[in-house]
Amino acid sequence: MTKAPKNAPTTVPPQGGILLIDKEEGWTSHDVVARSRRALGIRKVGHAGTLDPMATGLLVLGAGPATRLLTHLVGLDKTYTTTIRLGTATVTDDREGDRISAAEHSAVEALAADPARISAAVAELTGPIEQAPSAVSAIKVDGKRAYDRVRAGEAVELKKRPVTIHSFEIGEPRLAEEDDGTRVIDIEATVRCSTGTYIRALARDLGEKLGVGGHLVALRRSAVGPFDVADAASMEALVGESALTLLSPTAVAERLFPLLPLTEQQAVDIGHGKRIEVGSANDAALVAAVAPGDRLIGLLEVKNGRTRVVTNFPTPDGQAAA
């Protein structure tokens, strides 16, 4: 990867901000967080969901006080573009793991000639489903990461959990060959899913339904909720410590929650932990409370016209809602 000329670290405003990064293959999410700390000149940087080193695409980071928003971003739906390979299965459910099975060439060729069968299996994996995460996931089993247990030679089988595949769109299946001549089918797919979905496991399950095995050969996260990778900074800009654009907490919150405009006095009261009356018409599980000057005061629950602070943000005098 080429390195851009280094500039001074981006100035992080008092309320911090949200940074969108287009992660390249080979980087861990921890690597990106560490590099972001250096580029932003701030220690407090977190993320709203990781990507495997093999995957590329959108990482959502928070810097400074804006990391308080990350809790509300983790649960957003995700959109991925991916290449699924049918005909072989691997221990990791992706291309980086050792092959554990390969279907007969005749079975693969017959499947390639019957795209309706593939579409039917995809339909069965669309909507609310039960999914067992990949054995090499970061889920802990008796206090130890599942992938560490697999690397130690243990057989790991994780319990199924409910996820939702909102949409699972595939392109035309195409016959291909692996390096040793094994016949496979590659399918380009776009998946929009609930948080907690493992796309590797989706590829595995599709292969199992079709009786030929399957795994993932490419994965790119294109969106997290309303945030798109097209608006993200490149790794070149991050590594070169070029000027980076931070989304303000208000700009992020208003894309996720109804806005509750406050007067200056209301903003002060909420900043000091007081509950205020705003009228029952504003009742909502969460609203973004914004003071004059477009400053996010906090995320509030409004019930029976009365507010309760759920997530607070620093106020100009350094105080925050309790």
Side-chain angles (χ1 to χ4, degrees), residues 77-96:
D77 290 344
K78 314 293 193 299
T79 303
Y80 297 90
T81 56
T82 180
T83 303
I84 295 171
R85 176 161 291 175
L86 301 174
T88 56
T90 71
V91 68
T92 58
D93 300 327
D94 62 33
R95 71 165 193 259
E96 297 189 327

Side-chain angles (χ1 to χ4, degrees), residues 293-314:
D294 209 31
R295 188 178 76 254
L296 183 65
I297 297 299
L299 301 178
L300 315 179
E301 176 189 50
V302 183
K303 189 174 182 180
N304 298 322
R306 190 169 175 80
T307 65
R308 181 182 72 85
V309 175
V310 175
T311 303
N312 59 61
F313 286 84

